Amino acid sequence: MTHVYRFSKEVTDGNGGMKNILGGKGAGLAEMCRLGIPVPPGFTISTGACLDYLENGISDQLQHEVAQSVTWLEGILGKSLFGEGQPLLLSVRSGARVSMPGMMDTVLNLGLTSATVERLAEITGQRRFAYDSYRRFIQMYSNVVLGLDHHEFESRLEEIREAEGAKQDKDISVEGLMTLVDRYKEYVLHETDQPFPDDPMEQLWGSIRAVFDSWNNPRAKFYRKINNIGDNWGTAVNVQSMVFGNMGENSGTGVCFTRDPATGEPVPYGEFLVNAQGEDVVAGIRTPLKIADGSPDCMEALMPSLYKQLCGIMELLEKHFREMQDIEFTYENNVLFMLQTRTGKRTSRAALRIAVDLCKEGVISEQEAIKRVEPESMAQLLASEFDEAAKQRILAAGNLLGKGLNAGPGAATGKLVLTADKALELAAEGEDVILVRAETSPEDIEGMHTARGILTQRGGMTSHAAVVARGMGKPCVVGCSQMIVDPKNNCIRFTDRVLKEGEPISIDGTTGEVILGEIPTEESHLVRQLKAGERKPGTQGEEFSLLREWVSKHTKMLVRANADTPEDAAFARLLGAEGIGLCRTEHMFFQEDRILHIRRMILAGDADERADALNKLLPYQQGDFYELLKAMENLPVTIRLLDPPLHEFLPQTEELMEELARNMNVTPSVIKRRVNDLHELNPMLGHRGCRLGITHPEIYQMQVKAICNAAKQATDEGVTVKPEIMVPLIGSHKELDKVKESIMPIVEASAPDIPVGTMIEIPRAALTADEIAQSADFFSFGTNDLTQCGMGISRDDSGGFLPQYIDEKIIETDPFKSLDQDGIGKLVRLACSDGRATKPDIKLGVCGEHGGDPRSISFFYEAGLNYVSCSPFRVPIALLAAAQAGLQDD
Amino acid sequence: MTHVYRFSKEVTDGNGGMKNILGGKGAGLAEMCRLGIPVPPGFTISTGACLDYLENGISDQLQHEVAQSVTWLEGILGKSLFGEGQPLLLSVRSGARVSMPGMMDTVLNLGLTSATVERLAEITGQRRFAYDSYRRFIQMYSNVVLGLDHHEFESRLEEIREAEGAKQDKDISVEGLMTLVDRYKEYVLHETDQPFPDDPMEQLWGSIRAVFDSWNNPRAKFYRKINNIGDNWGTAVNVQSMVFGNMGENSGTGVCFTRDPATGEPVPYGEFLVNAQGEDVVAGIRTPLKIADGSPDCMEALMPSLYKQLCGIMELLEKHFREMQDIEFTYENNVLFMLQTRTGKRTSRAALRIAVDLCKEGVISEQEAIKRVEPESMAQLLASEFDEAAKQRILAAGNLLGKGLNAGPGAATGKLVLTADKALELAAEGEDVILVRAETSPEDIEGMHTARGILTQRGGMTSHAAVVARGMGKPCVVGCSQMIVDPKNNCIRFTDRVLKEGEPISIDGTTGEVILGEIPTEESHLVRQLKAGERKPGTQGEEFSLLREWVSKHTKMLVRANADTPEDAAFARLLGAEGIGLCRTEHMFFQEDRILHIRRMILAGDADERADALNKLLPYQQGDFYELLKAMENLPVTIRLLDPPLHEFLPQTEELMEELARNMNVTPSVIKRRVNDLHELNPMLGHRGCRLGITHPEIYQMQVKAICNAAKQATDEGVTVKPEIMVPLIGSHKELDKVKESIMPIVEASAPDIPVGTMIEIPRAALTADEIAQSADFFSFGTNDLTQCGMGISRDDSGGFLPQYIDEKIIETDPFKSLDQDGIGKLVRLACSDGRATKPDIKLGVCGEHGGDPRSISFFYEAGLNYVSCSPFRVPIALLAAAQAGLQDD
């Protein structure tokens, strides 16, 4: 046969590796049969048949093969779909290459007709079970195959229930069910002008067609689009003999996991319902029982032998598939059958534990363990948490205000503020604040940075607030539609509550909860364990450290951190950073005791005055660098020379200018004139970076002197430090040569082995990387500016169009979050290959925000970069992504 | 011989094609000998010998060849350098591959010694001539070869002159000259501890070495650097027997041109001095006579047969070299000798005429005529002019204030203003103004645009003022150092005059003159003739038109104009434009009757209000397009859809916002909020271009409708129009597809043959041109923005570093004037080849300011562009440059 693959204890045509042909479910069923696990026999119609049907309809070949397979199935079960004897009932289920939960259709209990329902009642001796199955079948078939509204069936069911005074469906009498079946059939006749099909074969083909067609229903198409699933994959159809969990008290149905999907603990975990079919579990009307929780009504206690058999199967399946399994089972009259097995979904916390445990157990290799942990999931493990008891107390008191999308993991608590300005104002007074906006825009960035967490009324997982907050590692809840932000009245409104600006509020970015009041927060469990050096077996600290070790062993690309302070550097190192890829020296200038000197430097009337101001700054910078280098002993630290335009250091309001004038003993007009002189129309493309270093060589000279002195100081104390000097905003090799002309004498006089390299952040630098490489010891791609220049988009000004671009798929993903590989990526690849052509051993890295984005990291790996650098919180994510990129081809 | 090439009536080793070996002068002398023209015989030492000398000193080989050549020269002239008989006197002159006027050294009258000077006196019977020659020789040799200060010699000459009471040098007695020779020799002995060389061979080698060495003197090196002359070319040395223009009243020396170098008129033009040597002409002490001006003391009248002979030689030389010649001659006792011939320098006006005339005369081909005119020189022919008589009257009255560099040709007159703001203010009142600044910076741009002309105290030919003014076609004088700009006192100061703001002033950007008072200006002679349709032979109108025809015939790249109004378009067409490459539609919005509608559109509360405002704008735009299309009948007109960000259309001052609020009947806060909403940090990279077209599709739809309607209106009237729609700021093919989705239904409904193309002005567009070409009928490179984004330089903010970058050669030339070929050019080439790979017949053009820059045009030709587009005034320049680029390989 070419389109149909049988599975049974006796004959199985397919196997677990054939997901593309059999779909995930079909492949799993075939593999279980091959393992000798009890599975109700059946056959899978291939995805190829689906595609053929969608193009040309049902082929003679397929018709023939299905008929043959039904006959085969009747034979091995000794049941009959058409004829006399025990009736063969079937389930018809979809099953694509990857799971598309709820997207496509299923029909159960197929084969019941006015004749077979009676035979089923006779043979089983359970008339009620037979008619209950029949009415379920008519209801499902009418909806799925005939396209009738399921509410029409529900309401007729309710009528009978009310007429009989039955509390639940199971209390309805046999007679009631028989009446219901008649009413269902009348309704179908009325609506379709056709009697409900009473021919099992007609039912079967109707169901197969319906499943095939469901591949192209709108919700399936949409799901494929957002999940990158090929339209040309098609779905398989699994036709399987029914077993009945609803055949009385010795029957039941359930779902189990081979490990705890919440914690990863290596114990079986699952739930089941006695006397029920699968829909009953989904419907959630009855509370399922646990398979093993020590209670008297768990499966282990009630049915020890069945439980033991199930555990054996779970162990076998996990060993076989070398991965935690999510299994569906049914037992009919105490006989156990498996209906599905697949890789189980799990929490971030469980994912880490399961990957590490499986490796420790020898089931998977270290490389596989690395591949098993989704990099982005590490963000959750590092995010701050609420004191859980306190949170539960407050929730129990009825303080849950609403729920939104969990856009940025972590817990945050503080005073409600409605504007970025207010956030800055209260933060300046030492308050923790939560910024709440209808939606955020780029002007809110500073406020978002200052806030403990961000909450918005509108927006999805890729909205501005969500993307920016995740980038900052901030807890964030978006799209909380129960909330109305009312800035006019300085408040936010929930259905029954109004909160004024300044009132306490908490958000849980991991769950999406918005809660009234303050709840104590703490660092994440993992961060606390890492800081405490916890490495006992079974702790997150141990798991993290083990995975970190394996990553080290198998990675080909290093991960550094962007950090400006010794504290950040030390934390990044704790999280696994292998150096500092970007230390922004300007941040050091903004501290109170320094800003006056830098302002005096900018306002200096002559070279002497300027030199004097710079001399005052030198010891500060030297001290900062010394501490930073020491914190990163033995690891490289890339220090970027001054980058922002000088006007960023001057006050911008009238009031502050006057204050500065008083401090500096000059007239305010002097300050104003200089501010005015330095004003730029497009500061992003202005007088900054190495352009400043060339027009004001004394600034870079001071900074380089500070670096060299700091290195010498540490070396003299016996500490091995590895500073690297990075020149920003280079556009041509002549610029770099000019800067080096001015700083190299200082470097060579004191510490000749400090590498000097350059950012590649201007398109022209990427285009002429062959020339620039002649003078650069390393390149570090500044992909933020490279994206801004290369796409001609100012990130700060993109709020007016970029969200629409992303919504309408004009741009695939936010290019400031994930590198635009087709465009900007071309520049990166060009610069890498041209740079290496000139200098084969040139070190290549990236220090833009893309350095912490897994998709971008994979690209950087392909492009041949030596390292990526990202914010400390994203180091573990980057480490995993980098290692996975390297293992892709293994 | 390998290093020495003889030239004489009898033997000539070299020829006119050997400039690389013999230098320009040597090759000319050789060629003249071959033509049988009388040239004092001599020999040329090759450039190769120079290079060999600079590396290894004088070789035995060279020593041997020079000695041999001297002997040969003695033989053919029957004179002797060492021995008895008539003394052989020599000149030793440098001569590189290209003329480097005054950069290297010359020695005349070489061979005179204490012995030969007496013999020369005896044989010529002119003792005074002999001693005058001797003192000249000592003076020149001492300076050039011995490196002594020439002032020391001048002061001794003056002593004698004063002692004898002589008015001029020629009045000094023989005795005086003999005394002078003695004093010179004493001085030389005193300074060098050596007697002045009395051996002709020592003099000869000293002079040869000095000429060789002068190749590396600082001023020659500098000249080579700024003129792109190879350091490894070397100079030849011409050793030639002397003839004497200073041997009495039947001798003389002069310079002549085969045509008038000022006007190009085909008549011999030249000057000469009786009884003089070359230096006397240069020194300018005596007023030379004309060779032919109808006066009784011109050469034609005084020496008709000599004049006739000279004319014959001029004719022969011009025919032979197929180019106007600049010739040096000397006659000694009525015998004529040619000392040099070379291509003559000429004015722009003459250049055009000579090229056209030579072609009409059949001397050169049309292609050669095209190559003969320097494109940039056309700017002068198009520049405005003063009423010459009025100017002369005003100058004669002593109103010349000073002189600067003639940075932008043309004449301008108006009121003196010292700030850009004042310029705008007075211009708004209808005044013509001249903007005067110490130096200009980007903030002055608007003021420069408004002013009739620009004058600066500081800066050179590539200063900001100069570059910008030339780009705008504005008259401009820079670096007028006699002037001090004193903004505090609202005035400018000259040595003896102070001008207050508001006083009338005139500048002549063609001559650099700064003049007090107003002088009537008029359009250039050429523009007036073109407007009048003048094509009579001998007029500039005819010459221009003929050249234009030839360009059309031989060009492979078209030239369009950037024009927004029918007037500009018509003028561009008159100057030869073959279409409009860029019509900026936004300029049409700024007119008083329209700006309110566009503001209403921007401030609209809902879609209806916005549609209403746009409907009001539609007829205006349609009318504009209709007129423009008609003015360009039969020629393509590329109309760019709205490009600038919306905030450019809103008022920026509080006052104007309030006024607008009153006009619109809203509160000022509505306006302020919208202005605030639209404010951008980096507007250059903001919400503009097609980004607006996507977020506000109705704007582009209105514009496209206006274009289609206008085209239909014209077509209905029987006028063939060729509109093209251009979408700005495209960064990806999806953006273009999105815009087309919205506008194509309108295009297809009315006029299906309107091409729709895109600007390539974002680096990403260039990088993904292969994809964009799928949806674009044409690409037009917006090299301004491509340069800004690609180099990460905001033109407006570059004043703080770009001038220094250009000064220090970090950047070769201003990248906004001449395309950065190594960087941005790479993007252009990439987009061309990728675009063509996708769509072989895609039309490629450029509409940035580089489209009018000859150097950039040559690059665009190589890159395969179909056309360049530039401002109307630069169309003739671009036409020539484009044609020349195409003829480069011929």
Side-chain angles (χ1 to χ4, degrees), chain A residues 443 676-677 679-688 690-692 694-697 729 731-732 734-735 738 762-771 788-801 804-805 808-812 820-824 826-827 830 834, chain B residues 443 676-677 679-688 690-692 694-697 729 731-732 734-735 738 762-771 788-801 804-805 808-812 820-824 826-827 830 834:
Chain A
E443 295 96 76
N676 204 39
D677 278 358
H679 173 77
E680 295 187 311
L681 291 177
N682 293 288
M684 158 74 211
L685 308 175
H687 191 171
R688 64 186 192 92
C690 69
R691 298 165 191 175
L692 269 179
I694 287 173
T695 57
H696 297 66
L729 215 71
S732 77
K734 288 191 186 165
E735 260 181 320
K738 192 83 193 173
I762 298 275
R764 194 186 190 281
L767 292 165
T768 60
D770 51 344
E771 296 175 346
Q788 295 199 87
C789 287
M791 301 187 80
I793 296 177
S794 160
R795 184 175 190 167
D796 294 330
D797 302 314
S798 64
F801 57 96
Q804 183 178 342
Y805 272 43
E808 297 184 4
K809 301 257 168 204
I810 298 170
I811 288 184
E812 279 305 320
D820 160 43
Q821 299 184 10
D822 294 340
I824 306 309
K826 232 182 205 173
L827 287 175
L830 185 77
D834 284 2
Chain B
E443 297 95 77
N676 202 39
D677 279 357
H679 173 76
E680 295 187 313
L681 290 177
N682 294 288
M684 159 76 211
L685 308 176
H687 191 172
R688 65 185 192 93
C690 69
R691 297 164 191 175
L692 268 180
I694 286 173
T695 56
H696 297 67
L729 216 70
S732 77
K734 288 190 185 165
E735 261 181 321
K738 192 83 193 170
I762 297 275
R764 193 185 190 282
L767 292 165
T768 59
D770 49 344
E771 297 174 346
Q788 295 198 87
C789 288
M791 300 185 82
I793 296 178
S794 160
R795 185 178 187 164
D796 294 331
D797 302 314
S798 63
F801 58 96
Q804 183 179 341
Y805 271 43
E808 295 183 6
K809 302 254 167 205
I810 299 170
I811 288 183
E812 279 304 321
D820 160 42
Q821 300 185 9
D822 294 342
I824 306 309
K826 232 181 204 172
L827 287 176
L830 185 77
D834 284 3

Side-chain angles (χ1 to χ4, degrees), chain A residues 349 384-396 411 508 510-511 513 515 519-523 525 528:
Chain A
R349 189 171 157 198
S384 55
E385 295 164 0
F386 284 128
D387 174 327
E388 194 56 30
K391 177 179 167 185
Q392 289 315 327
R393 263 198 314 279
I394 287 181
L395 283 180
D508 188 332
T510 310
T511 62
E513 290 161 305
I515 305 165
I519 310 175
T521 63
E522 51 194 16
E523 281 183 322
H525 196 65
R528 277 176 284 148

Side-chain angles (χ1 to χ4, degrees), chain B residues 335-357:
Chain B
V335 181
L336 186 64
F337 297 93
M338 300 293 125
L339 298 182
Q340 169 149 322
T341 189
R342 59 182 173 188
T343 298
K345 295 217 187 304
R346 66 207 76 180
T347 63
S348 300
R349 191 173 156 195
L352 174 62
R353 171 150 199 180
I354 292 170
V356 171
D357 282 353

Side-chain angles (χ1 to χ4, degrees), chain B residues 620-631:
Chain B
Y620 287 112
Q621 287 250 296
Q622 185 174 329
D624 290 334
F625 294 145
Y626 168 76
E627 296 295 340
L628 187 67
L629 290 170
K630 267 214 329 196

Side-chain angles (χ1 to χ4, degrees), chain A residues 67-83:
Chain A
Q68 224 179 332
S69 304
V70 168
T71 308
W72 163 78
L73 200 55
E74 289 175 326
I76 60 167
L77 289 169
K79 297 182 178 178
S80 166
L81 189 62
F82 316 90

